[in-house]
Amino acid sequence: MIAFIPQVKQLSFLPGDSFHLPQEPRVTLMMERADPRLELHCRRLFPGLVFSEKLGGEGYAIRIDSVDRDQEDSAARQDHAGIMEETARLLSGKREGYHLQADGTGIIIQALDSAGLFYGLQTLLQLVELYEAIPAVEIVDWPDTALRCMNYDLRQTYSKPELLHAYLADAARYKINSVLIEYEDKFPFEAYPDLAHPKHAIEAEQLEQLKQTAFLYFIEIIPLQQSFGHLEYVLRHENYKHLRETEKSTGELCPSKPESFELIKGLLGEIMDRHPDSRYIHLGCDEVYSLCECPDCQERFEGVRERAFISFLNLLIDHAASRGKTPIFWHDMLDKCPLEELQHLDKRSVAMIWIYNGRNIDAEVSALTAKFRELGIRVMGAPAVRSFDGAEHQNYPVIANRVDNLLQWNKTADKLGIDCSVATNWTGPFSLGVPYGVFETTWYPMLLHADLCWNRGSDTDTFIDRFLHQFHGISPEVGHGKLGHYRIEDYYDIIWKLMDEVRKNREYAELIEIMHSFEEATDRSRTIHKYVYRWELYPGDQAEWRSLLNNYQRNRRGREAVRPRMQTVLERFQPADMAEHFVRSRFYLHDYLERTMYQEMGLNLDE
């Protein structure tokens, strides 16, 4: 087993010698149209290369061999046109696919488009890292999902801007080709400067650099601007408060007020202006909880929530379409919409179905997909690599739920031919909540998503072995030799036990190890309340007091040992005050009890 992520479609080992990549390889790049990105990636992959470029013909190819190879021997091999004809036959027109061949004389990768050649280079990079010499091999590979998307949620805590760039490159390495970004108050609004975070909003220049990085790595940005619900960051302000559906609706906009559409049109306008090359704009529009509760909406829409929702959504769709964008909306407000209302929905939209839990994804998604498609509305899919899962304090994803969700979605998307899958990766339930966790703890389910999007027939039983080998440099022999048998759901339970064996991406493993240490120090089975309860049952009993004090001291010492370590490791990934926000969210309850109940009871570390 080669630890490819994603797992390749067709692989054949060939007889013959392996290819020893020289320090100064000869690299020939052939393109039907010039794409400077490909030369740049060649130079990054092979720093000492002797480079040449040829334009013309059909398709894209790269040839890698030794500078000192005999020229006649090189010319005697199949020419570019001949191999390209075979590649076209093998790929049968599949976009972003590639054909890689390696033997003792060198390596050739061919593709029908520049993105395909880029992905062939990513597979070659994985081969280079896994083998001292590239084995004689032939690979034919292509994606099963056209739009393979990950998610940047910038609402709560998020990574330093330079890391957001780096993570685009990392995602592209695993053949992700799009990213859904919810900026919220981190967007550099100009017409609405009061909505931009005073400290953590991305600067306009940083946004331009982020878009350039995405383009360089063949990644399309899909911006998400909430337009109906989840507008807490807007409606919390006094000058927008009057646009709420009701006084209690901290995040839901009233569709009956003309100013509501004017506000959203302005916000969407800025987002679309800053993303001129994005084909899509995501309108949000999920969880509009208080819809149709105000008297004006009750009268105007006769109390029919779906009618109110579609009326406002159609205004948004028309505005986005008039700007040349394809608008996307979350499906949930139309989940049970009757056909007589749903048929009024503007057909120029795309419904993104998000279902994160449950054992019957296939039935739910199939029914929703049929309902939308019958009306001529395209469907996209959205599993989750992190979501609520009944736990707001998630130091890493609830992985059993996430694996199950991804696997179910994979089968359903394959059956229904859903050609876009977004791995939503929420940092919190909404703007006014506490952070679930940090982005850097989600690489494991994110790469499972990448694996399944590219190759829906991927062998998921081997995924944890491939991930540990590819991402952390831990071979299956080493991992299983130390820990015995483990399964796909066990990553967060085992990686901290393998710290001595981690050879790559150690900083992520250390982050998970610290989060585990925090959880161990606050283990539910050792929560202090049960010992306090015993003390109240038997006040004055010295044995009860000693038991309470012992457990209090053990828990507090364990927590306090973790606190500075957590802050330090988080500052590698986030601005210091954002890292502090996360740490405080984890320690707040314990600190509160220290200031109140524990102090009042006389618990301390000295006795």
Side-chain angles (χ1 to χ4, degrees), residues 17-83:
D17 297 333
S18 298
F19 178 65
H20 291 265
L21 193 68
Q23 286 188 337
E24 295 183 353
R26 178 173 58 193
V27 175
T28 305
L29 178 61
M30 295 160 277
M31 301 179 286
E32 68 176 54
R33 293 187 187 86
D35 190 333
R37 294 175 293 181
L38 294 175
E39 178 182 346
L40 181 59
H41 288 298
C42 287
R43 293 189 180 279
R44 287 181 174 179
L45 186 55
F46 310 110
L49 85 172
V50 176
F51 183 78
S52 63
E53 180 181 306
K54 298 178 182 178
L55 291 177
E58 295 183 359
Y60 296 77
I62 181 172
R63 177 82 207 186
I64 305 153
D65 55 18
S66 300
V67 172
D68 58 357
R69 286 204 59 79
D70 182 83
Q71 292 294 324
E72 291 184 5
D73 178 55
S74 179
R77 286 167 292 176
Q78 286 180 291
D79 61 16
H80 167 54
I83 304 176

Side-chain angles (χ1 to χ4, degrees), residues 292-326:
C292 217
E293 289 185 5
C294 84
D296 289 345
C297 287
Q298 280 281 330
E299 180 179 356
R300 180 181 175 189
F301 302 110
E302 300 178 320
V304 181
R305 289 163 55 86
E306 293 87 355
R307 189 177 303 167
F309 182 80
I310 290 173
S311 174
F312 192 69
L313 178 56
N314 279 346
L315 292 176
L316 304 174
I317 292 169
D318 183 67
H319 177 61
S322 72
R323 296 285 305 271
K325 304 294 185 183
T326 298

Side-chain angles (χ1 to χ4, degrees), residues 192-226:
Y192 305 89
D194 52 332
L195 299 183
H197 194 284
K199 186 170 183 180
H200 292 300
I202 297 172
E203 296 177 3
E205 184 179 351
Q206 291 175 323
L207 179 57
E208 291 304 311
Q209 292 170 349
L210 189 68
K211 292 189 298 182
Q212 291 170 13
T213 300
F215 175 74
L216 175 63
Y217 286 96
F218 294 83
I219 286 178
E220 178 177 6
I221 291 178
I222 302 174
L224 191 160
Q225 171 57 52
Q226 288 288 358

Side-chain angles (χ1 to χ4, degrees), residues 324-552:
K325 304 294 185 183
T326 298
I328 303 169
F329 64 91
W330 298 117
H331 88 282
D332 57 293
M333 294 305 298
L334 299 177
D335 194 350
K336 295 177 173 60
C337 182
L339 183 60
E340 59 267 25
E341 299 294 341
L342 189 60
Q343 64 186 357
H344 297 295
L345 181 62
D346 193 319
K347 308 302 186 292
R348 294 173 292 177
S349 58
V350 179
M352 185 170 281
I353 299 173
W354 64 278
I355 299 178
Y356 298 158
N357 286 289
R359 295 290 182 179
N360 204 6
I361 299 291
D362 181 71
E364 293 182 69
V365 174
S366 295
L368 287 165
T369 298
K371 181 164 72 171
F372 285 117
R373 284 178 174 173
E374 284 173 10
L375 294 172
I377 296 170
R378 183 181 163 198
V379 164
M380 294 177 171
V385 297
R386 191 202 313 268
S387 64
F388 176 54
D389 281 328
E392 286 202 31
H393 288 74
Q394 296 176 28
N395 300 308
Y396 29 75
V398 182
I399 194 61
N401 291 1
R402 296 304 100 226
V403 166
D404 180 66
N405 188 238
L406 291 168
L407 295 183
Q408 285 194 67
W409 258 106
N410 177 56
K411 291 181 180 178
T412 301
D414 188 29
K415 184 184 83 170
L416 299 177
I418 295 175
D419 63 358
C420 170
S421 185
V422 179
T424 56
N425 192 349
W426 304 118
T427 60
F430 67 128
S431 302
L432 305 183
V434 297
Y436 289 152
V438 296
F439 181 87
E440 286 77 10
T441 64
T442 62
W443 282 109
Y444 184 71
M446 278 196 296
L447 295 198
L448 176 58
H449 171 74
D451 194 51
L452 295 170
C453 277
W454 183 272
N455 185 350
R456 287 174 174 161
S458 178
D459 180 6
T460 54
D461 289 340
T462 66
F463 178 76
I464 190 167
D465 285 329
R466 289 186 282 123
F467 181 88
L468 290 172
H469 200 176
Q470 176 66 233
F471 197 77
H472 287 306
I474 304 172
S475 71
E477 293 76 18
V478 170
H480 289 289
K482 183 168 184 177
L483 299 182
H485 179 66
Y486 42 75
R487 300 170 300 172
I488 190 172
E489 299 91 351
D490 294 338
Y491 172 72
Y492 294 104
D493 288 333
I494 67 172
I495 186 57
W496 54 273
K497 300 175 185 176
L498 294 170
M499 288 300 300
D500 291 342
E501 283 72 36
V502 172
R503 300 292 177 265
K504 297 166 62 178
N505 294 312
R506 185 175 179 83
E507 63 273 22
Y508 304 132
E510 288 176 349
L511 176 61
I512 293 167
E513 184 274 326
I514 288 169
M515 295 300 177
H516 174 266
S517 296
F518 169 76
E519 291 181 348
E520 193 172 54
T522 55
D523 190 335
R524 291 187 184 91
S525 69
R526 307 187 69 82
T527 49
I528 200 69
H529 78 271
K530 63 184 179 183
Y531 301 103
V532 174
Y533 167 71
R534 294 274 315 177
W535 175 243
E536 289 194 357
L537 281 179
Y538 303 99
D541 187 293
Q542 288 304 303
E544 296 288 349
W545 175 256
R546 189 72 256 176
S547 175
L548 167 61
L549 187 62
N550 287 348
N551 283 281
Y552 163 80

